[in-house]
């Protein structure tokens, strides 16, 4: 319903912290909590429903169903668990088990070889376990292993394979809360992909809005390594600024006409929830590109930017509009990325035909 407040969810890190604390309470105090109160990395707290707790030999396990709220992602509905055992050594040892990925490439916030549990959720899980130990009056050591049922399959719908994280998903969450359409996890994945590309010595990074535009980009630049390609989705300004901050020598971006119009408008985020297409401006640009007056006016009432491009009177008129829009988009790209990197914008039609390429003549050193 219009105006209705969107429901927040919680991160995989929060789900794992809840499962860890519930498992520890079952192991140390014999409790079977139906809900569990956990600390969040941002300093607040959250109560979660516990799906199951059970004893497993010398340990105990518990499970929490990850809830993305009204902004569900690939991990929404995942059954995230944790098995906790006592150990002779003091302190808390944390690792990932089935469904949690392992890091194989440098540049991530987790060292190569370790479970892909990022620093903020790692601290959150350890804090939750420490709380359970205090509540039960236990002063010994604990070992905890986080699991995700079906995590390896879920990871195929994420950026993990590109980041060199194998065998499962990452346990993420800077704040512990998922806010609808904030897409914090995706932005974190973009930043991590850039870190990996930099650590591998790539000078050029290739951005795209999704799988199709990335495939066309890699076809156009076959020497651009897969690990230098990042699906930036709608994060136009963020991706450019992060690439510039890491001092990549060159940036090449692949886009379709729909996103191109919003890029020409200078919208930092091209998602529909962040900014609407300005069809009035688009009609004016059609006229500037030399379209007949009646067709330029039609663009103002088009259903989508794609629809506007489809009413172009000729292939030449479509290319003329793409070139005009690309010029405006490149000016905004320079604004977001600063003066240092070479910037190239490639625009593909929906069937993969290149409409225009602006900026540098090539993507720079590969």
């Amino acid at each position: 319903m219009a105006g209705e407040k969107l429901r927040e969810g919680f991160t995989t890190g929060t789900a794992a912290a809840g499962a860890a604390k519930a498992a520890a309470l079952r192991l140390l105090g014999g409790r079977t909590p139906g809900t569990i109160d956990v600390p969040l990395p941002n300093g607040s707290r959250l109560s979660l429903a516990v799906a199951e707790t059970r004893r497993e030999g010398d340990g105990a396990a518990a499970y929490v169903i990850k809830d993305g709220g009204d902004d569900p992602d690939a991990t929404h509905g995942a059954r995230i668990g944790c098995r906790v055992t006592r150990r002779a050594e003091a302190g808390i040892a944390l690792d990932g088990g089935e469904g949690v990925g392992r890091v194989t490439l440098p540049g991530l916030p987790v060292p190569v070889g370790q479970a892909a549990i990022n620093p903020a959720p790692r601290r959150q899980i350890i804090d939750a376990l420490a709380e359970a130990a205090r509540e039960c009056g236990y002063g010994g050591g604990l070992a905890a292993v986080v699991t995700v049922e079906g995590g390896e399959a879920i990871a195929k719908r994420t950026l993990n394979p590109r980041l060199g994280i194998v065998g499962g998903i990452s346990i993420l969450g800077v704040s512990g809360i998922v806010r609808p359409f904030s897409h914090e996890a995706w932005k974190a994945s973009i930043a991590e992909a850039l870190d990996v590309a930099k650590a591998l010595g790539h000078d050029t990074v290739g951005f795209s809005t999704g799988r199709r535009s990335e495939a066309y980009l890699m076809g156009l630049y076959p020497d651009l390594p897969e690990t230098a390609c990042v699906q930036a989705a709608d994060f136009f300004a963020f991706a450019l600024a992060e690439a510039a901050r890491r001092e990549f020598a060159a940036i090449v971006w692949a886009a379709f006409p729909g996103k191109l119009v919003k890029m020409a408008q200078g919208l930092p985020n091209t998602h529909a929830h962040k900014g609407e297409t300005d069809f009035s401006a688009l009609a004016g640009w059609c006229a500037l590109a030399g379209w007949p007056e009646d067709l330029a006016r039609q663009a103002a009432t088009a259903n989508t930017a794609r629809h506007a491009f489809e009413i172009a009177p000729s292939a030449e008129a479509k290319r003329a509009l793409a070139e005009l829009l690309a010029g405006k988009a490149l000016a905004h790209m320079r604004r977001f990325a600063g003066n240092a990197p070479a910037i190239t914008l490639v625009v593909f039609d929906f069937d993969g035909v290149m409409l225009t390429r602006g900026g540098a003549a090539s993507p720079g050193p590969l």
Side-chain angles (χ1 to χ4, degrees), residues 12 66-68 72-80 154 157-158 169-170:
T12 50
K66 199 269 190 179
D67 182 359
D73 60 13
T75 62
H76 178 69
R79 185 174 161 92
I80 297 178
I154 295 170
R157 308 198 301 272
T158 73
I169 69 167
S170 300

Side-chain angles (χ1 to χ4, degrees), residues 119-130:
R122 175 175 288 273
R123 183 74 259 164
Q124 182 184 11
I125 296 164
I126 290 173
D127 287 348
L129 287 164

Side-chain angles (χ1 to χ4, degrees), residues 201-259:
H202 301 320
D203 292 320
T204 297
V205 61
F207 287 121
S208 61
T209 52
R211 294 177 188 271
R212 254 197 328 147
S213 54
E214 182 182 77
Y216 294 148
L217 176 68
M218 294 177 73
L220 186 62
Y221 296 110
D223 293 330
L224 191 65
E226 186 180 51
T227 47
C229 295
V230 181
Q231 292 178 25
D234 293 293
F235 300 102
F236 184 38
F238 175 82
L240 289 165
E242 289 295 301
R245 189 168 68 83
R246 288 162 176 79
E247 299 182 346
F248 283 96
I251 299 168
V252 57
W253 194 300
F256 291 120
K259 297 299 183 185

Side-chain angles (χ1 to χ4, degrees), residues 64-143:
V64 169
I65 306 302
K66 199 269 190 179
D67 182 359
D70 285 330
D71 190 26
D73 60 13
T75 62
H76 178 69
R79 185 174 161 92
I80 297 178
C82 188
R83 186 175 188 273
V84 179
T85 56
R86 295 179 177 87
R87 69 173 192 152
E89 299 87 349
I92 296 171
L94 178 62
D95 202 357
E98 181 180 359
V100 175
R102 290 270 159 188
V103 176
T104 66
L105 293 178
L108 295 172
V110 177
V112 170
Q114 287 194 12
I117 304 174
N118 272 18
R122 175 175 288 273
R123 183 74 259 164
Q124 182 184 11
I125 296 164
I126 290 173
D127 287 348
L129 287 164
E131 287 183 355
R134 287 194 298 271
E135 288 178 24
C136 296
Y138 175 73
L142 292 172

Side-chain angles (χ1 to χ4, degrees), residues 21 55 93 109 174 198 223 257 290 322 330:
K21 186 173 180 179
R55 286 302 303 258
V174 174
K198 194 67 177 177
D223 293 330
L330 279 162

